[in-house]
Amino acid sequence: MAVVYRAHQGTIVRDVAIKLIKPDLADEGFIARFHREARTIAALDHPHILKIHDFGREDDLPYLVMELKSGGSLAHKIAKMQGRINVEDVAKYLDQIAPALDYAHSKGVIHRDIKPQNVLLDESDNAFLTDFGIAKLMSGESTALTAGGMAMGTPGYMAPEQWSGQQIDARTDLYALAVMTYEMLTGQIPFNGDTPAVLMFQHLTETPLPLRKLRPDLPTSLEKVLIKAIAKQPD
């Protein structure tokens, strides 16, 4: 939905990231949602949420000007470590990401698309959440469904309530956070079908492979936490 450029802001002498939304998305309804969501996200002030410096529209191009982080994404880190990030680093990332989510939720903001690609790292290996509100922006629906009824999000990380079009809340983000934690520890997501339809069936009905089948060295208590966080029912 967008192209991101590295740019230099001469007045403040800093590098930034500029995200340009593709013009074929930019109808008036989208622009109205874009400004509403960007204003909400720009107001979030947490040390582990990527800051939005500015947003606007230049001709037919909506844009966001954001902090630039040069340590890659958590997805790159998982690939580099071949899915075996050490437990201490996973704990550090969760200590940074989870409070950022708690803060956003306290402000009434649900991310809707938690995944390793939306966690950026700095040069000191600290984690920052980015792309808040993108799924909502794309759909314009409180249930994160498009007008055609298609669920918005990334299939491997979507909670059952997203697939079924039910009302989502902060627990939807916690489901995705648990999926991402499973992936950091094992190198694979709990459900991994070939098509969205297969993934939907798995998320709605199947039980993931127990964590300790893949990592026997991990404590049973951690597996219990993840099983609860990836439960089929939010309650």
Side-chain angles (χ1 to χ4, degrees):
M1 66 168 287
V3 179
V4 181
Y5 293 92
R6 182 179 184 134
H8 184 71
Q9 188 174 9
T11 52
I12 303 181
V13 193
R14 66 180 174 190
D15 285 351
V16 296
I18 300 180
K19 177 172 285 191
L20 299 179
I21 309 298
K22 292 181 178 178
D24 58 348
L25 298 173
D27 59 38
E28 290 307 314
F30 181 92
I31 293 297
R33 295 198 302 274
F34 173 78
H35 281 277
R36 184 171 62 247
E37 293 301 316
R39 193 173 291 112
T40 300
I41 305 309
L44 296 179
D45 183 16
H46 188 276
H48 292 283
I49 293 177
L50 197 75
K51 290 179 175 57
I52 294 179
H53 296 311
D54 194 14
F55 64 90
R57 182 184 185 184
E58 182 73 20
D59 297 326
D60 61 346
L61 286 175
Y63 66 86
L64 294 165
V65 182
M66 304 172 293
E67 271 187 299
L68 181 71
K69 298 298 180 186
S70 54
S73 70
L74 184 55
H76 294 143
K77 179 72 175 279
I78 291 171
K80 178 182 177 181
M81 301 299 293
Q82 298 182 326
R84 290 299 181 100
I85 298 178
N86 68 61
V87 175
E88 291 76 16
D89 282 346
V90 172
K92 183 185 81 168
Y93 295 147
L94 289 175
D95 279 343
Q96 295 172 341
I97 297 166
L101 270 180
D102 277 347
Y103 167 79
H105 295 159
S106 75
K107 300 297 182 181
V109 176
I110 304 168
H111 191 289
R112 302 166 183 259
D113 197 19
I114 297 292
K115 58 184 177 182
Q117 292 89 338
N118 284 339
V119 177
L120 300 183
L121 306 175
D122 67 10
E123 292 181 348
S124 299
D125 203 36
N126 294 303
F128 301 83
L129 279 174
T130 186
D131 277 352
F132 273 87
I134 291 298
K136 184 179 179 183
L137 176 64
M138 291 295 292
S139 69
E141 303 290 338
S142 61
T143 55
L145 289 177
T146 65
M150 186 178 70
M152 296 302 301
T154 301
Y157 304 85
M158 285 168 54
E161 60 270 23
Q162 281 177 290
W163 287 107
S164 58
Q166 298 174 31
Q167 190 69 35
I168 67 172
D169 58 30
R171 294 171 295 185
T172 304
D173 282 345
L174 298 185
Y175 182 98
L177 182 65
V179 170
M180 191 171 74
T181 302
Y182 188 105
E183 184 180 9
M184 284 192 283
L185 291 167
T186 68
Q188 64 186 59
I189 51 180
F191 305 111
N192 199 10
D194 294 331
T195 67
V198 172
L199 276 168
M200 178 174 70
F201 179 81
Q202 291 174 335
H203 279 277
L204 289 172
T205 66
E206 293 190 359
T207 302
L209 186 68
L211 182 69
R212 296 181 75 249
K213 287 280 188 182
L214 299 168
R215 287 284 303 271
D217 58 307
L218 296 175
T220 304
S221 56
L222 176 58
E223 184 161 70
K224 289 179 179 178
V225 170
L226 287 183
I227 288 171
K228 184 173 182 178
I230 312 178
K232 303 303 181 187
Q233 297 297 328
D235 288 343

